[in-house]
Amino acid sequence: MARPVVTRMFLVAALTLPAAALSAPAAAAPATTAGVTAPPALGSVIPVPVEVRPLAGRDFSLGPLTVIRTQPGSAAARAVGDQFARALRPATGYPLPVLPAAPRVLPTISLLLGADDVQLGDEGYRLSVDRRSITIRANKAAGLFAGTQTLRQLLPREIESRTVVRRAWSVAGGSIVDHPRFAYRGAMLDVARHFHTPDEIKAYVDEISRFKINYLHLHLSDDQGWRIQIDSWPRLTTVGGGPGTGVDGTGPGYLTKADYRDLVRYAATRHVTIVPEIDMPGHVNAAQVAYPELTCDGVAPPPRTDTAVGYSSLCIGSETTYRFVEDVIRELAALTPGPYLHIGGDEAHATTDADYLTFQQRVLPLVAKYGKTAYGWNEITKSPASANAVAQFWDTATTNPTVVAAAARGTKVVMSPANKAYIDQKYDANTPLGLSWAGYIEVRTAYDWDPATRLTGLPASAVLGVEAPLWSETLRDLDDIEFMAFPRLPAIAELGWSPPSTHDWASFRERLAAYGPRWTARGVDFYPSPQIDWS
Ligand code: TNX
């Protein structure tokens, strides 16, 4: 399958032009009466909203005099308003000032807190579109942010242009009530197999947050490389993040603590929380190359840049191991404002079952000691110490008594079944990138399943949410990431956000078809799946 020819660009750049955009006077903007195309239908959004009520004859028209008003006294609402205005200025050319109050005569987009509506929770919002005004109401800034992501999709697709487009900027009239099905809607990026730079990670944050994904899990260490600075064990990155530590000898690359803090801050402005993962007791060859005392015989193993798994293990009986693990967890927790710290735990084939239990009995409580909720791949549910943890289910099977038993003890589960949600798997036999051990995953396969019923015997109340992991054995750059993530990531995002009653392949496929040109306009690579009639 030929990949679409697109030029890479970073939205980051588009989102950091406020000064220039602000100073563009309204008078310099072109006339906007030219476009006559109807705006997207209300509700033609990914993920699809909970409730949509169109009202004919009430379309709003964004014009040169439109102002954005945000909740007085709320810096968080103001930040959402500023960001929204920055997103709209390049294509419209309008000044779109962001104000705490607006003259009644001007067409206004209001972002207001105090929705006073418990069903909306922290991330839900109400959106109403009328001739002279658009109002988004929410309990929290996260809800306002979600509402503005919906509104961006309700504007004509040309809104994605980075240069001024002459057309009418109307939004279909009516109202939307919207709130997420699951609290956790994640994407994962593997920066260990191939390192991905902070700018690439930010570009991915921009794209996933458009679909109301609210967690980005970073897989920071593996057999090949170690990608996060740890001050008490500096060789982890000077050696483990050095030249030749990526698959097939690519690299170097790692995140300094300053890089990481900046990423955490950047993601927070998009209402995305970063979840750091250090994989252990397996997937630790890079750490052992840097520190041979982490092996049982004290001999450094050879560096590995192949893609085999399951051959390395920390030395379970050694106190050095626990000193190392605690140092890493402590430093990582200090970098992490979010609630979760992921300790891996998958594919520990070189660790005996007894050793695995010994290890988890000591390490799971360490995460709590540093104030975080432990999170790990579903193998951690073998340990009774996982009761307060979150387990990430990655199995292809639909039964797993160990996970179900852990859920009965209190473990929450994030669903990432590999044959549905692993967006590193090929779309079909011709996909140039990706792996295929879990099968081919076309868009419909990624969309047609239910996280709440996937695992037999697991009560829906135990399901915290859903996540789409993107392993990077074959993915070198941002184009590769985008080509595998899109359009499957939006499918997983919809499973995480939209109520099951709205689940409908025919509707999803139509909304996705309409979304394609937006990626094209932004220079975002995607797989033009033959299952979709791209418009
Ligand atoms: C399995 S599933 C892994 C990763 C690989 C991935 C490739 C799991 C938790 N671990 O080590 O990168 O498959 O698809």
Side-chain angles (χ1 to χ4, degrees), residues 23 28 46 57 107 131 137 142-143 213 237 287 293 312 369 395 427 438 466:
S23 61
I46 302 171
R131 279 194 212 103
R137 284 183 193 278
I213 293 286
T237 44
E293 59 266 47
S312 62
K369 176 175 171 185
D395 210 339
Y427 293 93
V466 63

Side-chain angles (χ1 to χ4, degrees), residues 72-84:
S74 168
R78 165 86 203 202
V80 175
D82 284 338
Q83 210 178 146
F84 184 58

Side-chain angles (χ1 to χ4, degrees), residues 257-300:
K257 285 192 170 177
D259 291 335
Y260 192 85
R261 287 196 190 94
D262 177 56
L263 272 178
V264 166
R265 265 194 306 270
Y266 185 91
T269 62
R270 276 93 183 140
H271 295 272
V272 170
T273 301
I274 305 267
V275 178
E277 178 192 350
I278 294 299
D279 205 347
M280 51 195 171
H283 294 272
V284 293
N285 194 70
Q288 293 175 323
V289 171
Y291 289 102
E293 59 266 47
L294 296 175
T295 64
C296 283
D297 59 10
V299 178

Side-chain angles (χ1 to χ4, degrees), residues 43 249 298 392 400 446 535:
Q392 184 166 12
N400 188 314
S535 48

